[in-house]
Each structure stands twice: as C-alpha cells, then as structure tokens.
Amino acid sequence: MPRSAESLTINPGPLPVPGPRSPAALAPAPAMAADGSSGGTGLPPSPVNPGSRHTPPSPLQLLLERATAIEEELAQGKKKPFTEVTRCHSGDAVAAGRQPLTFLRQVAAVCAYPELLGAECVPADAKRRAGLILRHLQGGSPGAYNLEYVMDTVTEKVARYLEQRDGGIPSDPRCVVPCGGTAAAVVDAVSLVVDELAAWPTGVLVPTPGPRLHVAAAALAGAVAVPYPLDEEQGWAVAGGAVRRVLRQARATCHPKVLCVINPGDPTGHVLSRQNMEDIIRLAAEENLLLLADEVLQEQAFLPGRPFLSFKRVLWEMGAPLASTVQLISFYSLSKGTGGGGYRAGFFELHNIDPSVLKCFYTWGMSVYPPILGQVMLDAAMDPPLPKEPSETASEEAVPCCAGRDAGAGAARPHPLPRRLPARLLLTWGDPGLCMCPPQIHDPH
C-alpha cells in the first residue's frame, strides 16, 4: 500500500474558503506604498506574501535587455557582423523560429473555430480528431471552463500515453493533474509540504546550475531553496555525497522536505543514467524526501546510447519496498517539446501520494482550469496520428535542433554559435549524450 501523505507532512488541511463578506470587507483597500506597506495611513502593512519579495531576479532579464539594445542598434543602422538577433535565451523554441507541430495546431484551430470542419485545407484526420474533442467540450467550445473534459478525457489520454512511454507500467488517470504549464504547478506541489506554523521553514533542494523556476517556486510557496551542486566531471550527475553534505548544513536553518531533480537537465542538457537515478531514489527514501522530477525536456533526448528514462519507471522497476514507498511527483510540459510555451499546457503525476491530496488541485487557486486550447493540444499530442493517416508526416516533422542527432553524429551537430571567435578562445562541444549538447568556450590563457 502507498504510504500516506502525512509521512512527509503534506499539509492535510483543506484550503480556506472565504465566507460572507461584510460591507467593511468590500470597502476599497488603501493605496499601497512601493515597499508593500500601506503608506502613510497608519494601517498595518498589507498582507502580501513575503515569499514574493524574496523571489530571485531572473538572469535572463539581462540577456533580454541586451538583445533589445542590440536590435535597436541594428535598426539604427549600426554595423555589426550579423544582421539579426535570435532570442533563444529562455528556451522558447517558437520564439527562436520553430513552430509547434502542424497536427496540434490544426486540431486546436478547428476546436477554436468549428467552421473549419468544412475547410479543405485541414486534413481529414485532424478534423475528425477535433470533432471528437468538440463533443467533450461544454457547449462545443473551448471558451467554457470544461473542467470535466480536463479531469476525465485528458487525464485518460495522458495515462495511456504514460503507460506506453514507460513500457506498460500502469498509470492511474486519477493521479494525473493537467495544468497550465509547470511553472505554477511546481509552486502548488511545493506548497503541499509547507507548514506555515512550523518553527523551521520548509527546505527545497534545487540543483545548480539549474533554472531559476524552482528557486522562485520555493519562495512563492513559503519555503526556502537549498542549492546542491551537480557534478560536472561526471556529466552533471547528482552526487549523493554532495547532496547529503548540503542536507546536513541546511538542517541547521530549515527542515528539508523536497528534492528537486531535473532530467534531462536545464541548462546543462545532461540525461541521467539509470544507476544515478536509482541512487537518487535511495537517497530520497533514506532522507524521507518528496522527489520532484522535472522531466519537461524528455522529448529532447535523442541518442539511443543515452535514452530518457522517467523516474516513475526506474522507481517501479526497482521493486519493493521503494516502489511502494518513495513519494514522487513528475512534471511534463508541451513547452519544450511538440507544442509551444504560449499555449500553457502540461501535467504532473503523483506516485505513492494519498489520493485525498488531489482535492487540493481541483479547488479554486491550485492548478485549476488550465487554458482549454492548450489542453486540446495536449490531448492531440498524447494520441498522435496513426500510420498512413494524412497527418502522420506532420506529426513527425523534423525539429531543427535535432538535425544530425543520431549515433555518431557529433560532428554533424548544428553550431548555434558563430565560428568566428578571438584566436585565444577555444570552442568545444559537450558530451554527445547530452540532449542539448551545450558548447563550451575555453580561454587557455
């Protein structure tokens, strides 16, 4: 039997429901000063979530500002050794020029404008798929909240996809929670283990280097981020010894409850080996940590010599007692794969967590009512066209960043950086097993 959620002190209390409001409660709020206080009114400070004031600034903002400045210089006619700027700072493939798969866009377009069911420019199988989805939408429109469609139809499609991905390991649709992208969902997941009344704040172990999302999510959930280093010499592996050292130090100031692992890695691009994943699972079990597996880049692992394996699959195949005791939440997103970040679609799956916890995610304020067109695209992505259907080719469109990514194709890999570098700098490429194969610039001097 799965161990109860309380073993990791997941907050068991129901979400607060506001009661009837008095006329005083409905009165306009006083103006707020820049520092979050109530200005000079003499009233106490506004109850702003203090975590929002401690979210770290994104280093990507500096890149964005620099890119904008360069674009302005180009527009003014300033001479540079290039004529345009490609914005790839945020991992937004669509902004960099790659469109979501045609089949997904066609299905979403028909659902948004059903008159396209009679259009000759849309393949018959895309129209057929859109027609099936429209039957599940309230009023036949993605403009409704459509919570039943999200909770029933989409979760069933996701569960079947997960079973196929993980070699037949069963997936319960009731443990799948669709969401509007993973950014807010990570905050919701972390908030499950935060006890605001505890003497010690909740700690969330986050990898470094890594995206700032998880650090910000910890702060917004009322927890504190505890960075742990990845082992670059071992292909950015998660070193158990380093994590335990960080844990010992962190327990002097907080109560670590969550271990966040990113696989494939971001921005390192590494793909964890099965052995490393098993070590991580054992560490989570020994230290009684909730394991958050950010797997949103799983469709960017290309080489057969370093395949992507989900933490759920590895945990299942390790057998008892770990398979039935280690608590895991894994995340998937269309943003980094076949879709686009702007459609805001993804899901997360809970493993070995008390099903009663799911009520939190279908209550106002927690991963509820994701954008329906994004869920339509997720629905279509989980059940791609069958062989010989008109849209099969469109569902297997070549992704530019995958060019030459077969075994032994390291030399054919596209070079995103210019070849012209100062003579004293050396440009090399990472381990071909890494899903993004990031380049490295070395200065021998």
Side-chain angles (χ1 to χ4, degrees):
M1 293 293 292
R3 68 178 172 182
S4 66
E6 285 73 17
S7 63
L8 280 180
T9 58
I10 287 179
N11 184 2
L15 295 178
V17 179
R21 297 186 178 184
S22 65
L26 296 175
M32 184 183 297
D35 62 357
S37 69
S38 55
T41 63
L43 297 176
S46 177
V48 173
N49 178 1
S52 64
R53 301 177 185 175
H54 300 291
T55 54
S58 172
L60 300 180
Q61 184 63 30
L62 299 176
L63 292 175
L64 179 60
E65 292 173 357
R66 180 58 181 148
T68 301
I70 293 175
E71 288 175 333
E72 293 175 353
E73 293 173 357
L74 290 173
Q76 295 168 1
K78 187 172 182 178
K79 298 298 182 182
K80 293 184 179 293
F82 50 86
T83 58
E84 61 180 332
V85 176
T86 300
R87 299 194 176 202
C88 54
H89 65 287
S90 64
D92 187 343
V94 176
R98 191 192 82 190
Q99 290 299 318
L101 296 188
T102 300
F103 177 72
L104 307 188
R105 290 183 286 153
Q106 289 170 335
V107 172
V110 175
C111 288
Y113 190 65
E115 284 78 358
L116 290 175
L117 286 168
E120 296 182 358
C121 61
V122 181
D125 57 334
K127 290 189 286 188
R128 183 168 56 254
R129 179 69 59 80
L132 292 174
I133 293 175
L134 286 168
R135 296 175 192 172
H136 292 282
L137 300 182
Q138 294 175 347
S141 170
Y145 286 128
N146 287 301
L147 187 58
E148 292 81 3
Y149 166 70
V150 173
M151 292 178 62
D152 300 331
T153 305
V154 176
T155 56
E156 184 68 32
K157 290 283 186 66
V158 169
R160 302 292 79 80
Y161 159 81
L162 292 174
E163 290 179 353
Q164 183 179 22
R165 182 199 68 179
D166 292 334
I169 295 173
S171 177
D172 187 347
R174 296 172 299 177
C175 294
V176 173
V177 182
C179 58
T182 57
V186 173
V187 179
D188 290 343
V190 173
S191 68
L192 290 175
V193 298
V194 172
D195 184 356
E196 297 179 350
L197 301 179
W200 296 89
T202 297
V204 180
L205 284 88
V206 297
T208 180
R212 307 298 289 177
L213 163 65
H214 305 90
V215 178
L220 290 173
V224 294
V226 180
Y228 68 87
L230 299 177
D231 189 343
E232 182 176 5
E233 298 299 324
Q234 298 298 320
W236 302 106
V238 177
V243 175
R244 285 187 169 88
R245 283 193 296 272
V246 169
L247 270 172
R248 286 194 298 269
Q249 297 170 357
R251 285 178 174 139
T253 57
C254 68
H255 182 187
K257 297 182 182 180
V258 180
L259 173 60
C260 179
V261 180
I262 305 173
N263 183 45
D266 179 10
T268 57
H270 66 276
V271 179
L272 294 176
S273 67
R274 176 185 287 270
Q275 182 60 56
N276 196 193
M277 296 174 72
E278 291 179 354
D279 293 341
I280 294 168
I281 290 171
R282 293 189 185 95
L283 186 153
E286 294 168 4
E287 302 292 346
N288 196 30
L289 298 172
L290 169 65
L291 185 57
L292 293 189
D294 183 334
E295 299 175 336
V296 302
L297 287 171
Q298 61 186 263
E299 292 165 343
Q300 304 297 327
F302 308 108
L303 294 183
R306 191 78 67 85
F308 166 79
L309 295 172
S310 72
F311 267 94
K312 177 187 173 182
R313 177 171 183 170
V314 174
L315 176 59
W316 178 277
E317 293 176 347
M318 290 177 74
L322 296 176
S324 59
T325 56
V326 173
Q327 295 184 301
L328 167 69
I329 303 179
S330 55
F331 297 86
Y332 173 95
S333 174
L334 281 186
S335 300
K336 308 298 184 183
T338 57
Y343 292 104
R344 311 309 302 147
F347 64 83
F348 54 96
E349 184 183 23
L350 296 90
H351 189 63
N352 288 334
I353 293 177
D354 191 327
S356 65
V357 172
L358 287 170
K359 67 181 180 181
C360 297
F361 297 107
Y362 292 113
T363 307
W364 282 105
M366 296 190 74
S367 301
V368 71
Y369 299 135
I372 298 303
L373 279 182
Q375 294 299 306
V376 166
M377 296 183 74
L378 179 63
D379 184 334
M382 297 294 99
D383 187 17
L386 297 173
K388 299 183 179 180
E389 285 188 324
S391 296
E392 181 193 13
T393 302
S395 70
E396 297 180 350
E397 294 161 339
V399 179
C401 64
C402 304
R405 295 288 183 94
D406 53 17
R413 186 174 301 113
H415 290 254
L417 294 181
R419 298 295 186 90
R420 295 177 59 188
L421 291 171
R424 68 187 185 90
L425 297 181
L426 175 65
L427 179 64
T428 62
W429 296 86
D431 183 344
L434 307 184
C435 75
M436 296 188 226
C437 298
Q440 296 177 337
I441 300 177
H442 300 275
D443 185 351
H445 305 286

